[in-house]
Amino acid sequence: MTIFRSIQYNLQNLRRFDGQDGKAVFLPYLMPVIYLVSIGFMLSIVPVALGVLGNSDNPGGSWIWSSLSCSLVVLVGIGLLAAAITRRLRDTGRSIIWAIPPFLLLLIAAGLMPYAFAGMLSAGAPTDLFYAMFTVNLVYLVSLAPLAFHLNRDGSSEAG
């Protein structure tokens, strides 16, 4: 399946959590979504980064926009991936439980990120909140390992 057909298929099936999808359907869709979510995160942090660098008109309030936009980026990413990950995990014989910790940790990290950077802005140095966010991000990355392993396994649709 081409990347464009995979993207079209997955976008048409955003609300379909039943069934199974193989790697050939899932992986070409996963990568562009990850890239777009990453770009969304980077753009969400721009106001806070400008505030930290002293180039913002409203450095104290930039964390509000960043917090809302980071959370929105996470929710859009979850919305774009939830059904596809569910179908892929089902294809490999795994439960959706494997995807819940990374999604929750990502949401927590996205919520903490602007506050942590705003704290750095006011304190001039990393704060305890920054270290908490950093720890949540590390735990998030560790929780991705088993999910990535299960998503990359051969499933029933590849066994033929």
Side-chain angles (χ1 to χ4, degrees), residues 29-44:
Y29 174 70
L30 176 68
M31 295 316 296
V33 171
I34 288 175
Y35 293 142
L36 289 174
V37 168
S38 298
I39 290 169
F41 270 130
M42 288 180 225
L43 292 175
S44 296

Side-chain angles (χ1 to χ4, degrees), residues 13-139:
N13 290 287
L14 283 177
R15 297 186 320 185
R16 186 177 68 84
F17 288 82
D18 61 331
Q20 300 175 347
D21 288 341
K23 282 191 281 191
V25 173
F26 177 73
L27 292 177
Y29 174 70
L30 176 68
M31 295 316 296
V33 171
I34 288 175
Y35 293 142
L36 289 174
V37 168
S38 298
I39 290 169
F41 270 130
M42 288 180 225
L43 292 175
S44 296
I45 293 301
V46 165
V48 174
L50 289 175
V52 169
L53 296 172
N55 297 331
S56 175
D57 294 335
N58 184 14
S62 60
W63 64 270
I64 296 171
W65 186 87
S66 287
S67 180
L68 293 174
S69 59
C70 278
S71 297
L72 181 64
V73 166
V74 169
L75 292 175
V76 167
I78 289 172
L80 289 172
L81 290 175
I85 287 174
T86 301
R87 291 191 305 270
R88 181 68 195 128
L89 285 171
R90 187 172 289 124
D91 186 54
T92 63
R94 300 294 178 261
S95 168
I96 186 66
I97 299 295
W98 288 101
I100 292 174
F103 283 140
L104 290 177
L105 290 165
L106 184 59
L107 195 54
I108 291 168
L112 287 177
M113 190 176 306
Y115 293 107
F117 284 114
M120 283 178 47
L121 174 64
S122 63
T127 61
D128 290 342
L129 189 58
F130 177 82
Y131 293 117
M133 179 206 61
F134 184 77
T135 303
V136 169
N137 279 319
L138 288 178
V139 174

